[in-house]
């Protein structure tokens, strides 16, 4: 059985002219060829070391030779489960897990080295639980006829409609909508361009799901905790709505059977790599239980744990409990997730502070939050004095964060000498997040001052930290810096680094710049087209327009 996906040009009476194709059609056809033809080789990369060195662009010459010769006949038929798994690994260059319904356990999957067999109902129920909270998209292969199927992207679970949401790359309609299939699926469209499918209809027709291996580890652990939370009958945890974000529980004494069971669950989860935040809701509920018993200090501990990983109810309860004795911390927790601090770009006040690896409430930490509060109230002068005091404190981590904020304030005031001193102090602090932001902010400031050499050094240091918030943006800034200095080859190397960073904010922008540089500076039309096509995924209309303009010029020139 084969499954269609993003429509590639159908194989007609002969091969299409590759040179006459627009960039998007060429890219889709190349992807379809890799999945349906190239994956038939016995030596296809399957494990991470091989995937790390795989380069899709290196296959273009072979594709150009093989497609018009005979390979065109193999396209348009879709891909098997095995080919879908292999193809997605190559596209994302990461290890994937294939979840297979045992109703379709006979499909050929000999080369799928990471697979899990589940009963149809178990697979769909697990999907519904997992997709209730925001998750990465995963591919689902659905049977649509006696010997045909279709691949869609599952995006979430609509609790109001009790349906699974999905995106279908097929034009105009979905093959899961009536009357486009013969298996009784009647998916319906949503107002935002997605589709809804009833889990009852999906269960007997869902053949397989492909998901990143790291995501599967969190997914499977989440499912296991939903079973563990029923260990104590009557505890009230059976109706807990669990969030899913990183969890780092601290061990606490167990004065009761309920707490003993909860601690056992925490220890069980903590023993596994990439632990999901399956227990945020339970931690919040447990804090409430402790509070009702008068165990305030313990309640605050569990509420803090839950609030740190995104439980808004826990943030509210914590803020209410702290209002009288610590209004600054109370204000911090009340605003923390509603303000979506993770969306603060590098270089703005407060960037990275939510990522403290080991949150603790210290005097310096409270003062730092008071400084941020003063900033948000429009009192930069008072905030500067607070940050300066924290910078001089013995709390190394809080001092490093304060140095960053102080440097930004000094920069805004035009005091470049003082700003440089503060940002450099943060950069060499040895604290992961402040150091990364310190180097990135130094690069930006030196760029603004026209210090090409100084900004280059700072950007290189920022990239070297490997911090997600700043690595890709600093690599792209370094590329632009090098290009303006006439070092085009180095600029393209760093641009490519930013493209493959998996930073969804920066990667499309970097792809647009890299494709443009290749178009202007090299004769490699295929690589230029490839990167410009990737840039079309940007959320920035200006980036999309730039990529389309260059792609149009390239097509006209061809």
């Amino acid at each position: 059985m084969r499954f269609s996906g993003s429509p590639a040009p159908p194989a007609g009476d002969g091969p299409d002219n590759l040179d006459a194709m627009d960039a998007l059609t060429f890219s889709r056809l190349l992807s379809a060829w890799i999945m349906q033809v190239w994956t038939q080789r016995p030596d296809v990369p399957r494990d991470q070391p091989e995937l790390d060195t795989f380069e899709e662009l290196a296959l273009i010459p072979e594709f150009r030779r093989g497609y018009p010769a005979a390979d065109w006949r193999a396209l348009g038929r879709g891909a098997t489960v095995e080919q879908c798994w292999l193809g997605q690994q190559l596209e994302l260059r990461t290890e994937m897990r294939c979840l297979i319904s045992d109703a379709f356990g006979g499909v050929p999957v000999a080369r799928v080295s990471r697979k899990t067999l589940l009963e149809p109902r178990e697979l769909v129920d697990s999907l519904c639980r997992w997709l209730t909270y925001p998750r990465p998209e995963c591919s689902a292969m659905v049977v649509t006829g006696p010997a045909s199927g279709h691949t869609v992207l599952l995006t979430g679970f609509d609790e109001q409609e009790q349906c699974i949401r999905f995106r279908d790359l097929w034009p105009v309609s979905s093959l899961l909508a009536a009357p486009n299939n013969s298996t009784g699926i009647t998916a319906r469209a949503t107002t935002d361009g997605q589709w809804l499918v009833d889990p009852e209809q999906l269960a007997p027709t869902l053949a397989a799901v492909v998901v990143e291996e790291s995501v599967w580890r969190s997914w499977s652990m989440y499912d296991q905790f939903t079973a563990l939370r029923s260990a104590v009958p009557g505890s009230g945890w059976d109706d807990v709505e669990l969030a899913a974000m990183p969890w780092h529980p601290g061990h606490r004494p167990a004065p009761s059977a309920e707490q003993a069971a909860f601690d056992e669950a925490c220890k069980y989860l903590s023993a596994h790599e990439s632990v999901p935040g399956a227990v945020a809701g339970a931690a919040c509920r447990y804090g409430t239980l402790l509070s009702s018993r008068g165990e305030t200090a313990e309640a605050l501990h569990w509420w803090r744990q839950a609030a740190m990983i995104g439980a808004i109810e826990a943030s509210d309860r914590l803020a209410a409990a702290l209002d009288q004795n610590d209004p600054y911390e109370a204000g911090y927790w009340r605003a923390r997730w509603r303000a979506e601090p993770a969306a603060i770009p590098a270089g703005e006040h407060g960037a990275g502070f939510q990522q403290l690896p080991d949150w603790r409430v210290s005097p310096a930490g409270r003062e730092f939050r008071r400084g941020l509060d003063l900033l948000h109230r429009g009192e930069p002068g008072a905030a500067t004095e607070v940050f300066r005091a924290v910078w001089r404190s013995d709390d190394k981590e809080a001092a490093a964060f304060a140095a960053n904020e102080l440097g930004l304030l000094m920069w805004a005031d035009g005091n470049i000498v003082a700003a440089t001193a503060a940002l450099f102090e943060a950069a060499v602090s040895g604290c992961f997040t402040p150091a990364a932001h310190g180097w990135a902010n130094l690069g930006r400031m030196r760029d603004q001052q026209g210090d090409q050499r100084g900004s280059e050094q700072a950007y290189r240091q920022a990239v070297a930290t490997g911090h997600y918030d700043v690595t890709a943006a600093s690599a792209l800034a370094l590329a632009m810096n090098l290009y303006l200095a006439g070092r085009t080859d180095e600029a393209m190397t760093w641009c490519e680094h930013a493209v493959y960073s998996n930073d969804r904010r920066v990667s499309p922008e970097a792809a647009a710049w890299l494709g443009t540089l290749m178009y202007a500076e090299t004769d490699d039309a295929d690589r230029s087209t490839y990167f410009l096509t990737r840039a079309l995924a940007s959320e920035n209309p200006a980036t999309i327009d730039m990529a389309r303009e260059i792609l149009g010029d390239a097509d006209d020139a061809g």
Side-chain angles (χ1 to χ4, degrees):
M1 180 174 292
R2 293 177 177 271
F3 299 84
S4 59
S6 177
D13 298 330
D16 291 324
N17 184 351
L18 296 178
D19 294 325
M21 285 182 184
D22 62 73
L24 188 57
T25 303
F26 182 91
S27 177
R28 284 179 173 173
L29 192 61
L30 172 62
S31 296
W33 174 83
I34 290 174
M35 182 174 289
Q36 299 173 35
V37 177
W38 195 80
T39 55
Q40 296 181 36
R41 295 172 170 233
D43 57 345
V44 176
R46 286 188 290 173
D47 298 318
Q48 198 58 57
E50 300 169 314
L51 294 169
D52 286 338
T53 59
F54 173 75
E55 179 54 75
E56 182 180 283
L57 295 179
L59 300 181
I60 289 179
E62 183 180 346
F63 168 61
R64 285 188 171 277
R65 292 192 302 270
Y67 172 76
D71 292 348
W72 63 274
R73 301 178 187 277
L75 300 184
R77 297 181 298 168
T80 64
V81 170
E82 186 179 83
Q83 288 175 328
C84 287
W85 177 79
L86 290 166
Q88 287 195 45
Q89 288 208 137
L90 296 175
E91 180 181 355
L92 298 177
R93 300 204 303 186
T94 192
E95 292 180 345
M96 309 292 286
R97 167 75 52 166
C98 190
L99 311 179
I100 303 170
S101 168
D102 65 6
F104 302 94
V107 298
V109 288
R111 290 193 293 164
V112 179
S113 53
R114 284 170 293 280
K115 52 183 176 280
T116 299
L117 200 64
L118 298 168
E119 294 180 357
R121 187 73 254 177
E122 181 186 5
L123 176 55
V124 171
D125 285 348
S126 181
L127 270 171
C128 292
R129 287 192 298 269
W130 177 247
L131 293 172
T132 297
Y133 297 93
R135 311 290 188 184
E137 294 180 349
C138 54
S139 296
M141 284 157 268
V142 184
V143 175
T144 55
S148 63
H150 185 54
T151 301
V152 297
L153 296 172
L154 306 182
T155 61
F157 182 74
D158 190 313
E159 293 184 273
Q160 183 174 354
E161 298 288 342
Q162 289 294 295
C163 288
I164 292 176
R165 295 174 65 88
F166 69 90
R167 291 196 299 120
D168 195 334
L169 300 181
W170 210 255
V172 183
S173 184
S174 169
L175 293 189
L176 304 192
N180 301 334
N181 65 82
S182 61
T183 52
I185 307 176
T186 56
R188 60 186 189 275
T190 64
T191 56
D192 60 358
Q194 298 195 34
W195 295 82
L196 295 174
V197 61
D198 188 335
E200 296 296 329
Q201 295 181 354
L202 190 61
T205 57
L206 179 61
V209 173
V210 177
V211 64
E212 290 184 31
E213 179 69 9
S214 59
V215 172
W216 168 244
R217 286 198 294 269
S218 291
W219 182 343
S220 60
M221 289 299 301
Y222 177 78
D223 263 2
Q224 290 179 53
F225 185 79
T226 58
L228 281 172
R229 65 179 175 165
S230 61
V232 184
S235 66
W237 298 336
D238 53 327
D239 62 346
V240 171
E241 300 237 346
L242 300 177
M245 303 185 72
W247 171 253
H248 304 286
H251 182 65
R252 282 293 186 271
S256 64
E258 291 95 339
Q259 187 171 356
F262 187 73
D263 283 346
E264 282 303 309
C266 288
K267 286 188 285 184
Y268 174 75
L269 289 168
S270 300
H272 292 74
E273 186 181 1
S274 299
V275 174
V279 290
C284 177
R285 181 65 60 86
Y286 189 57
T288 304
L289 176 65
L290 290 168
S291 177
S292 70
R293 294 175 176 174
E295 299 177 44
T296 306
E298 287 294 303
L300 291 175
H301 166 78
W302 289 108
W303 281 335
R304 280 195 185 98
Q305 293 285 355
M308 282 170 57
I309 54 180
I312 292 178
E313 180 187 351
S315 296
D316 290 342
R317 290 184 181 276
L318 184 57
L322 292 168
D323 262 334
Q324 185 172 355
N325 294 326
D326 192 343
Y328 295 113
E329 186 184 353
Y332 173 78
W333 289 116
R334 188 170 281 116
R336 179 183 172 100
W337 294 106
R338 287 183 173 81
E340 297 182 347
I344 299 175
E348 292 192 12
H349 291 287
F353 187 62
Q354 74 280 3
Q355 296 178 17
L356 278 170
D358 180 23
W359 177 260
R360 53 192 172 82
V361 181
S362 67
R366 293 179 185 179
E367 280 297 286
F368 180 84
R369 291 191 301 278
R370 185 165 75 89
L372 287 181
D373 185 56
L374 289 167
L375 263 184
H376 297 153
R377 293 179 186 178
E379 300 179 42
T384 298
E385 293 309 311
V386 171
F387 290 139
R388 185 173 282 116
V390 176
W391 183 20
R392 294 168 180 161
S393 74
D394 294 330
D395 189 321
K396 179 180 178 182
E397 198 159 33
F401 277 105
N404 246 320
E405 303 303 327
L406 190 59
L408 291 173
L409 286 166
M410 293 296 97
W411 179 12
D413 247 4
N415 191 341
I416 303 303
V417 174
T420 300
L423 292 175
F424 186 75
E425 190 78 16
V428 298
S429 65
C431 300
F432 181 47
T433 296
H437 284 279
W439 286 120
N441 290 331
L442 271 174
R444 292 171 55 246
M445 186 178 71
R446 288 171 173 173
D447 238 348
Q448 188 187 75
Q449 297 298 309
D451 181 0
Q452 189 275 328
R453 184 177 178 182
S455 61
E456 177 186 340
Q457 291 173 342
Y459 284 140
R460 287 183 185 274
Q461 292 283 2
V463 173
T465 66
H467 196 292
Y468 178 81
D469 279 356
V470 304
T471 296
S474 296
L476 181 57
L478 176 59
M480 297 300 99
N481 181 302
L482 293 169
Y483 178 70
L484 293 174
R487 296 153 66 183
T488 304
D489 290 342
E490 289 180 78
M492 288 193 287
T493 297
W494 285 105
C495 242
E496 191 163 359
H497 182 98
V499 170
Y500 291 121
S501 65
N502 293 324
D503 186 325
R504 295 184 180 180
R505 303 164 302 171
V506 179
S507 180
E509 317 298 317
W513 280 107
L514 182 56
T516 302
L517 288 177
M518 286 185 166
Y519 174 73
E521 304 288 345
T522 74
D523 296 324
D524 196 339
D526 285 336
R527 283 174 63 84
S528 172
T529 298
Y530 170 79
F531 287 113
L532 288 168
T533 304
R534 283 187 65 128
L536 298 178
S538 173
E539 297 178 358
N540 185 343
T543 299
I544 296 173
D545 290 344
M546 180 176 76
R548 283 178 173 163
E549 182 179 351
I550 302 297
L551 286 169
D553 290 345
D555 288 341
D556 292 343

